[in-house]
Amino acid sequence: MTDTPRFRSDMTVELVKHSAADTDVLWAARVSTAGEQSLEELEKDPERSKGLINYLMRDRHGSPFEHNSMTFFISAPLFVFREFHRHRVGWSYNEESGRYRQLEPVFYVPDASRRLVQQGRPGKYEFVEGTPEQLKTVEESMRASYEQSYRAYQEMLEAGVAREVARATLPVGLYSSMYATCNARSLMHFLGLRTQHEMASVPSFPQREIEMVAELMEAEWARLMPLTHAAFNTNGRVAP
């Protein structure tokens, strides 16, 4: 472990394991009318399969989208996780603990792509580009704050203070990591709230940093379940 602070502006999302495919949705849906079917039977009519998934999404028959599982490893700032943990139905989390290990000095500093200035009133606002001077202020202020807080953290640890006490000096810009497990239905609900998308029928205004995580997760899910992902987009990106 290094004691020198490191600064990041990106997010990490890795698909660790999964049991997730469009056939999981078909299998769960068709048992209602056809009983148990083989994989070959499910896949023999692609257009019918596509139509069934779209029907389920459109008419909001949600339970067939729950019979799958995806586990992601995510590294992001603590303030992202505080928002993430608002999503509880259909999710399981295990996050690294500052009680049991010394936390590494990795901190979030936004890069030039991050819009810095909020304009408008609550419920009707937008973010616009900051000036070079504002970006410089953000970078310098954050780095100085992070360095000071981590020095205080180290000083307490070296003095014999328990990790669970010393961690209180660390800011929400500290990177943490967790495993997050969900199914397609719970992920769709998350994406509907945490991404801003041209095909969404219900507008959403996510904080950019959690949206970055959501976009990376969506890319992995779209690869695993392309028909379900397409139906989600076609039907306004609303979870069934």
Side-chain angles (χ1 to χ4, degrees):
M1 177 181 294
T2 178
D3 294 334
T4 303
R6 289 176 285 139
F7 306 104
R8 295 178 53 182
S9 60
D10 63 322
M11 310 294 156
T12 297
V13 172
E14 298 174 4
L15 181 65
V16 177
K17 63 179 180 177
H18 69 89
S19 175
D22 290 319
T23 50
D24 296 325
V25 180
L26 301 172
W27 164 81
R30 288 180 179 165
V31 74
S32 299
T33 56
E36 185 178 4
Q37 291 186 300
S38 68
L39 183 62
E40 291 76 16
E41 289 176 309
L42 291 173
E43 294 179 329
K44 66 183 180 181
D45 189 345
E47 284 303 312
R48 181 170 176 240
S49 297
K50 179 180 177 181
L52 174 58
I53 289 176
N54 189 71
Y55 158 74
L56 294 169
M57 192 78 68
R58 185 194 67 211
D59 286 14
R60 306 194 72 182
H61 296 288
S63 59
F65 297 101
E66 297 175 2
H67 294 272
N68 55 83
S69 177
M70 293 164 279
T71 298
F72 298 92
F73 172 80
I74 301 169
S75 179
L78 286 170
F79 66 84
V80 171
F81 285 1
R82 298 297 80 81
E83 288 193 321
F84 213 123
H85 292 159
R86 301 295 295 173
H87 298 268
R88 298 182 295 277
V89 178
W91 287 89
S92 297
Y93 302 106
N94 278 93
E95 185 181 349
E96 69 175 285
S97 173
R99 295 185 67 192
Y100 304 118
R101 65 184 298 268
Q102 182 175 338
L103 298 170
E104 295 191 27
V106 183
F107 300 97
Y108 175 71
V109 176
D111 62 19
S113 67
R114 197 350 172 152
R115 296 180 177 180
L116 297 177
V117 179
Q118 180 178 328
Q119 293 182 341
R121 57 182 172 80
K124 193 175 183 180
Y125 60 82
E126 62 177 352
F127 283 86
V128 298
E129 302 292 337
T131 65
E133 291 75 20
Q134 287 172 321
L135 181 62
K136 181 180 178 183
T137 297
V138 168
E139 291 178 345
E140 292 179 349
S141 298
M142 283 187 171
R143 286 174 181 252
S145 175
Y146 292 151
E147 289 167 353
Q148 192 281 327
S149 67
Y150 200 77
R151 279 196 302 271
Y153 175 67
Q154 288 179 301
E155 288 169 1
M156 283 188 277
L157 294 180
E158 290 167 1
V161 175
R163 288 184 291 264
E164 66 183 55
V165 177
R167 65 177 174 171
T169 192
L170 296 172
V172 294
L174 180 78
Y175 273 74
S176 186
S177 61
M178 70 174 177
Y179 290 111
T181 299
C182 63
N183 59 56
R185 190 182 192 184
S186 54
L187 181 59
M188 284 186 278
H189 179 68
F190 173 78
L191 295 175
L193 291 172
R194 302 301 181 179
T195 60
Q196 195 170 52
H197 197 281
E198 61 183 6
M199 298 186 76
S201 59
V202 179
S204 182
F205 305 94
Q207 183 164 338
R208 178 55 189 154
E209 287 77 12
I210 197 170
E211 185 179 36
M212 292 165 67
V213 172
E215 289 170 348
L216 293 170
M217 296 178 75
E218 182 170 359
E220 294 286 358
W221 171 56
R223 179 176 60 83
L224 296 174
M225 303 178 72
L227 295 181
T228 304
H229 181 254
F232 175 59
N233 281 332
T234 298
N235 290 279
R237 295 177 65 86
V238 175

